[in-house]
Amino acid sequence: MSSSFQRRDVLRLAAAGAAAMLGGAAYGQSAWPAKPVTLIVPFPAGGGTDAFARPLAAQFSKIAGQSLVIDNRGGAGGTLGATIAARAQPDGYTLFMGAVHHAIAPSVYPKLDYDLEKDFVPLMLLASVPQVLVVNPRRVTATTLKDFVADAKKNPGKLNYASAGAGTSHHLAGELFKLQTNTFITHIPYRGAGPALQDLIAGNVDCMFDGLGSSAQHIKAGRIKALMMAGGKRNPAFPDVPSASEVGLPDYTVTTWYGLWAPKGTPADVQAKVVEDMRKALATEELKTIWATNGAEIPNLVGKAYGSFVSSEIKRWAGVVKASGAKIE
């Protein structure tokens, strides 16, 4: 009797142990996400990061079966939201969508409360768009870059440009433009590209060196006018806008990119699942269309390759910051 009981006990415990092991594996590998996931976007709604984050969240939610909730945390050129994300619980339920601005920040901010390369795990690059010089046609009479530069040289400091904040790509793109054209245009920083773009459209500022993702719809609607696309070629979504190389600025190359990170310590299997589901979302026809409409490319950089890219961008922008003399205002 005792022997029989012991055998039954052993079999029952073994079965329970196997079930627990299988359940643990399932939880670690396939149960995520078991609840809504927060995506911290470090800028106010209406900017370039938001233009890609919201449609991405919608598709991701369909694929993952749980909501991806956008949490806009603007301020300090995107560094406030990054600080909040870096301190989040690394359980896979907080993700961070940063941008090229975060590769620039270490060179322009004397002290940050986070380290982009040490406090985060690089997951993947999501989108890449060229910078575009856009003007409010009611405030700026120039219709070509040549006339715009001539006006800026004739009236130093008269023209101004809005940016998403000190230390962002908008800011550095403006400073690089001034350096290469030998002009002076007054910088007006905002708390994100959304508010800056709204003021440009409203006619409160003259121009903006914006990421094409947030300006695209307003250029097409005629609210603002594009004078130049950064880089050496025209963008397929805006074939009538000349490239920087065409208008005499062959070295003016500024690209805005958007990427995904998780707080350091996020489990590897969860990281892999995030990347898998994000790739599925980016492969949908809906997102392919939105990316193309915004003049964006879908890069194929994940994990360590993405991390190496970010490291190279931090070094590259440090050189631009030094050459331009850009600083926090």
Side-chain angles (χ1 to χ4, degrees):
M1 185 76 172
S2 175
S3 175
S4 174
F5 176 77
Q6 287 177 352
R7 282 196 300 273
R8 288 199 304 270
D9 239 18
V10 169
L11 289 171
R12 186 166 61 247
L13 289 170
M21 289 174 67
L22 287 171
Y27 178 80
Q29 294 172 6
S30 60
W32 183 94
K35 61 181 181 180
V37 180
T38 296
L39 178 62
I40 293 180
V41 172
F43 295 101
T49 315
D50 223 50
F52 292 102
R54 292 191 180 277
L56 181 66
Q59 292 302 315
F60 177 87
S61 297
K62 292 177 185 177
I63 291 164
Q66 290 285 351
S67 298
L68 184 61
V69 181
I70 303 293
D71 183 7
N72 292 99
R73 296 294 190 101
T79 62
L80 176 62
T83 298
I84 294 169
R87 295 173 179 172
Q89 186 72 20
D91 56 4
Y93 289 97
T94 299
L95 302 175
F96 174 62
M97 186 169 172
V100 60
H101 318 300
H102 295 91
I104 298 170
S107 296
V108 293
Y109 282 85
K111 182 175 174 58
L112 293 173
D113 293 326
Y114 67 92
D115 186 308
L116 188 63
E117 297 184 278
K118 294 180 180 179
D119 296 331
F120 290 97
V121 177
L123 296 179
M124 64 190 298
L125 195 59
L126 298 169
S128 178
V129 294
Q131 212 85 1
V132 60
L133 169 56
V134 286
V135 302
N136 182 302
R138 300 194 307 276
R139 288 178 61 107
V140 177
T141 58
T143 57
T144 67
L145 185 76
K146 181 180 179 181
D147 290 343
F148 179 83
V149 170
D151 189 25
K153 286 186 175 181
K154 185 179 179 180
N155 303 285
K158 177 184 176 183
L159 292 172
N160 57 51
Y161 75 97
S163 83
T168 62
S169 63
H170 307 78
H171 176 200
L172 267 292
E175 295 305 305
L176 190 61
F177 179 84
K178 288 157 61 174
L179 186 69
Q180 294 188 6
T181 58
N182 193 29
T183 56
F184 178 73
I185 306 171
T186 304
H187 175 221
I188 302 179
Y190 285 77
R191 288 174 59 87
L197 193 54
Q198 289 169 14
D199 254 17
L200 175 65
I201 293 168
N204 296 323
V205 288
D206 297 319
C207 68
M208 186 172 175
F209 298 86
D210 193 25
L212 187 55
S214 47
S215 279
Q217 61 175 315
H218 303 296
I219 297 170
K220 290 178 179 177
R223 300 183 189 100
I224 52 179
K225 180 176 177 57
L227 297 185
M228 176 191 71
M229 201 74 66
K233 61 181 181 179
R234 296 194 180 202
N235 189 279
F238 295 88
D240 295 333
V241 180
S243 70
S245 293
E246 291 179 81
V247 292
L249 296 175
D251 297 323
Y252 189 78
T253 301
V254 185
T255 301
T256 295
W257 50 262
Y258 305 95
L260 191 67
W261 286 266
K264 184 181 180 180
T266 300
D269 54 348
V270 173
Q271 295 177 38
K273 189 65 164 55
V274 173
V275 171
E276 177 188 343
D277 288 352
M278 285 293 179
R279 276 181 153 171
K280 289 178 181 177
L282 290 170
T284 61
E285 289 304 316
E286 291 90 341
L287 289 197
K288 285 182 180 179
T289 299
I290 291 171
W291 262 232
T293 301
N294 287 340
E297 297 178 354
I298 300 177
N300 184 28
L301 278 180
V302 301
K304 290 182 179 179
Y306 170 46
S308 296
F309 166 75
V310 172
S311 296
S312 68
E313 282 287 274
I314 291 172
K315 292 182 179 69
R316 183 174 81 88
W317 281 107
V320 173
V321 170
K322 184 176 181 180
S324 68
K327 59 183 179 180
I328 299 299
E329 298 168 6

